Amino acid sequence: MRGSLGGPRLLLRRLREVMAKPVSAQARLDDIVVQIAFNMVAEVCSVYVLHADSRLELYATEGLKREAVHLTTMRVDEGLVGLIAAKAEPLALSDAQGHPAFSYRPETGEEAYQSFCGVPILRGGNTLGVLVVQNKARRIYSEEEIEVLQTTAMLLAEMIASGELQSILPPGSDTVLNQSHALRGVSVAEGVGLGHVVLHEPRVIVRKLVAENVDKEVERLDEAVQALRDAIDRLVDRGEQVGPGEHREVLQTVRMFAHDRGWLRRLREAVMTGLTAEAAVERVQSDTRAKLHRQTDPYLRERLHDLDDLANRLLHQLTGQELVASHDSMPDNAVLVARSMGPAALLDYDRHRLRGLVLEDGGLTSHVAIVARALGVPVVGDVANVTSLVEPGDAIIVDGGTGEVQIRPTVEVEAAYAEKARLRARRQEQYRTLRDLPSRSRDGVAVDLHMNAGVLLDLPHVTETNAASIGLFRTELLFMVASRFPRATQQYALYKSVLDAVPDRPVTFRTLDIGGDKILPYMPRLEEENPALGWRAIRIGLDRPALLRSQLRAMLRAGAGRELRIMFPMVATLAEFDEARAIALHEAAWLQRHGHEGPSDLKLGVMVEVPSLLWQLDEIVAAADFLSVGSNDLAQYIFAADRDNKRVSGRFDLLSVPMLRALAAVAQAGIAQNKPVTLCGEMGGKPLEALALIAIGYRGLSMAPSSIGPIKALLLATDVAEVSAFMAPLLDGRDRGGAIRDKLRGFAEERGIPL
Ligand code: PEP
Ligand code: MG
């Protein structure tokens, strides 16, 4: 290597000795810059540390004027050093002063140096500082030299992360690692949780950075890569799911990267500079994460995530550590932070220790969200890069209502949220006092508030909230958390325990609603161009009647001697409902013929989720015993906007003319034939939306348990005749978007209706 004395390994060995010396942090930094400058034959070596207020401060230098240490500062976007910090990428220039970003600092005496090479000090993809070498003469720094600087920057990152620099931080400053962050995601499950970070997929902590024997480390790396490839190959071949959200095509991409030469070359190069195999993986992973932080293209972000995943697997392979959090070491106030998580994984955690969940992926209608709501765990989804911004054990606050996440909050912020949590608890207490009041509006109109459920854990909420019934029991969650197709006896046991837990109120079971985004790990995944418009829900049920039949039989047997309500999801035509109904009646007759007691009263309903039904409402109402509007899906089909695609799901307003007219038509069709119509999508649990629904004729809404209190408070304060009269002219078709929502909010606020 040109210009290096003794090579990178000698440098690392020297630095390891420096690290071990019992000296002050400043003395150690001073020694480090001397060693680097000497080894790299550079006249200058300087370390800049990034502060929480986004200023870079000169902490140590060999070659620049010593007086400038702790005096020279610059913003993240200022000068060459700032540029490196902002981009988190190395920069090497043989004519530094010719670069447009060069900024002259007279106090440092920098003007004498022509060549400049700087690298970011990275940890987990976050920039903690910048390491720079400079030379008087024009010099072209080689790839290897940049690599060596990156490796030594890792040691500095370790020093910053260990808190050692705390003693030389200027008063009132903090490093970026202690920086507070206020992040915003989407609100997924209500509630405020204060606690400490537990990473769902814990990071491997690499303690030993410098290799004793480089050849041995290369060997360890090669062996681990081979073992990793074999393990991935086996998984792909078996086509198995290896964990939540890890499906076949994800694995195939991961396999492709595992064989990628460029990635392996980078790892090997990092080991060759003298790092242990683990430290080399971490270094390369940190570069990937830094790129991830800056990448906005969703496709490229996904690929970088895959690469990050692969590095994680390799680290676990090298250290033999577990890939998921050990549940024993959970603190009592754990806030889980994860890229993504399946419903089964969440159920594995001890609910009593969970204060919240933060997800990088996963929005309002994801399945983990449904489980989290059942468990009463506040959730914020869609929080970009959160897994790399937190360290295990960090203080964190989750506000599921507003979608805010506070990382390492200041005392003031923490106090404000603690107060918010107390207020919320008090409000919940007030809702409990409303529990036994009749569910009627101020002008005496009865509106039944039902509860949505999907797991047994939901059921105690029925009595707590005094819900009129279970208006929607999503049976697919049982199927999604199972490792194989649940047998008829298991299904019977589940439905029976649901009914036994709710002896005094009706339960509406929905038949299996899978396909689209709801994937069963043990069912072959179909490659469909448009899964939301594909083979799903009742379509699967009718094409595979054995599945539907066994489910219906299990429900009918479980409902022996009592009223039973069953509804079918995604019905698009009258004929589909007729067919499903015929299967249900056939099963009921079969049970009776074979001497089994059936339900005392069987009601069969249709979920209104597909717009085609809107033009055959009278007939569908006549054919069904009841209707239940699945507004989540109905809206996605009416507006042709994928409910799980963030780019489009927020483009339309549910409180707009087309949606409200469609919903009103369904309610009116039910009223005309005296058939019950409820709505069980998420909108029923949102105050302003619920107010609009009541105004246009809905007398039954089914919602998550936590929404029942607020909606009841709203109902008690509402004059239905008045709000109906207010809404009617708004549906005349002139609205251009947003106006109905604003006007209705104004109406509610003027009348003190709690929203
Ligand atoms: C709906 O679509 O509104 C609904 C209740 O069903 P799911 O959210 O389970 O698709
Ligand atoms: Mg639906």
Side-chain angles (χ1 to χ4, degrees), residues 472 474 510 513 518 607 609 630-633 643 680-681:
L472 162 65
R474 293 176 158 104
R510 172 174 75 184
D513 186 6
K518 297 172 187 167
M607 283 193 78
E609 302 188 281
S631 52
N632 304 338
D633 278 312
R643 62 194 263 187
C680 63

Side-chain angles (χ1 to χ4, degrees), residues 242-499:
V242 289
E246 293 182 337
H247 299 288
R248 203 182 160 86
E249 63 255 46
V250 174
L251 279 175
Q252 266 160 350
T253 317
V254 170
R255 169 155 77 175
M256 197 182 79
F257 281 124
H259 289 266
D260 179 81
R261 291 231 184 96
W263 185 64
L264 285 173
R265 185 177 40 75
R266 284 199 299 283
L267 289 174
R268 274 178 141 248
E269 278 170 5
V271 175
M272 298 300 270
T273 62
L275 291 174
T276 58
E278 291 87 334
V281 179
E282 195 176 74
R283 230 220 62 206
V284 173
Q285 186 182 32
S286 205
D287 291 346
T288 309
R289 288 208 171 139
K291 288 200 183 81
L292 191 57
H293 286 186
R294 280 155 193 82
Q295 185 55 255
T296 51
D297 179 89
Y299 175 78
L300 293 177
R301 281 185 62 84
E302 239 351 275
R303 300 290 74 78
L304 287 167
H305 265 314
D306 291 338
L307 207 49
D308 185 46
D309 253 10
L310 189 63
N312 263 344
R313 286 169 195 271
L314 190 53
L315 279 174
H316 287 279
Q317 179 74 41
L318 278 162
T319 57
Q321 290 178 27
E322 289 286 323
L323 265 172
V324 288
S326 147
H327 294 205
D328 306 334
S329 56
M330 287 260 289
D332 282 342
N333 53 0
V335 172
L336 286 174
V337 178
R339 277 235 340 259
S340 62
M341 197 191 262
L346 181 59
L347 283 169
D348 275 348
Y349 285 96
D350 176 359
R351 164 69 191 96
H352 301 294
R353 295 182 185 198
L354 280 187
R355 294 288 174 273
L357 170 64
V358 184
L359 297 167
E360 278 186 15
D361 299 329
L364 189 63
T365 51
S366 64
H367 299 102
V368 69
I370 295 165
V371 172
R373 282 196 285 270
L375 295 172
V377 175
V379 185
V380 177
D382 218 354
V383 187
N385 297 325
V386 65
T387 52
S388 47
L389 287 173
V390 294
E391 292 284 327
D394 274 351
I396 185 168
I397 299 170
V398 185
D399 187 339
T402 60
E404 284 163 338
V405 176
Q406 304 283 345
I407 299 172
R408 300 179 284 269
T410 59
V411 253
E412 295 80 14
V413 169
E414 188 162 336
Y417 276 93
E419 180 57 20
K420 189 166 181 179
R422 270 194 296 278
L423 272 178
R424 207 183 119 82
R426 215 173 303 147
R427 221 175 309 127
Q428 297 292 342
E429 198 44 56
Q430 282 163 1
Y431 294 146
R432 267 191 282 280
T433 65
L434 307 181
R435 179 191 178 280
D436 296 323
L437 297 177
S439 191
R440 287 180 188 281
S441 67
R442 220 154 54 88
D443 55 340
V445 178
V447 178
D448 291 332
L449 305 182
H450 310 273
M451 195 186 102
N452 292 348
V455 283
L456 291 175
L457 285 161
D458 282 322
L459 302 176
H461 299 310
V462 178
T463 33
E464 272 164 36
T465 57
N466 201 11
S469 82
I470 293 192
L472 162 65
F473 191 94
R474 293 176 158 104
T475 56
E476 59 276 6
L477 283 177
L478 166 77
F479 291 77
M480 282 161 53
V481 298
S483 53
R484 48 191 293 214
F485 213 94
R487 281 203 289 269
T489 48
Q490 290 168 301
Q491 289 195 49
Y492 166 79
L494 173 87
Y495 306 143
K496 182 88 172 71
S497 31
V498 174
L499 291 165

Side-chain angles (χ1 to χ4, degrees), residues 528-646:
E528 292 186 309
E529 281 288 326
N530 273 314
L533 305 181
W535 200 53
R536 51 180 302 194
I538 194 64
R539 300 168 184 185
I540 299 181
L542 295 176
D543 290 350
R544 296 276 182 278
L547 278 184
L548 182 60
R549 238 183 255 134
S550 77
Q551 190 178 29
L552 288 169
R553 193 176 295 181
M555 286 174 180
L556 291 164
R557 290 196 57 192
R562 60 177 283 170
E563 181 189 341
L564 181 69
R565 300 180 186 178
I566 299 175
M567 62 185 181
F568 302 101
M570 302 292 301
V571 170
T573 65
L574 195 54
E576 282 178 342
F577 176 65
D578 288 342
E579 209 182 324
R581 182 182 171 85
I583 295 175
L585 295 178
H586 182 270
E587 281 312 307
W590 186 93
L591 284 175
Q592 203 180 15
R593 263 203 321 280
H594 289 79
H596 296 286
E597 187 189 4
S600 57
D601 184 11
L602 175 62
K603 297 242 178 350
L604 297 170
V606 173
M607 283 193 78
V608 181
E609 302 188 281
V610 182
S612 56
L613 295 187
L614 297 173
W615 291 275
Q616 216 171 8
L617 276 172
D618 293 342
E619 293 81 354
I620 206 87
V621 171
D625 297 322
F626 65 93
L627 301 190
S628 184
V629 180
S631 52
N632 304 338
D633 278 312
L634 186 61
Q636 92 162 329
Y637 297 124
I638 285 187
F639 292 101
D642 180 352
R643 62 194 263 187
D644 290 322
N645 180 343
K646 299 173 293 237

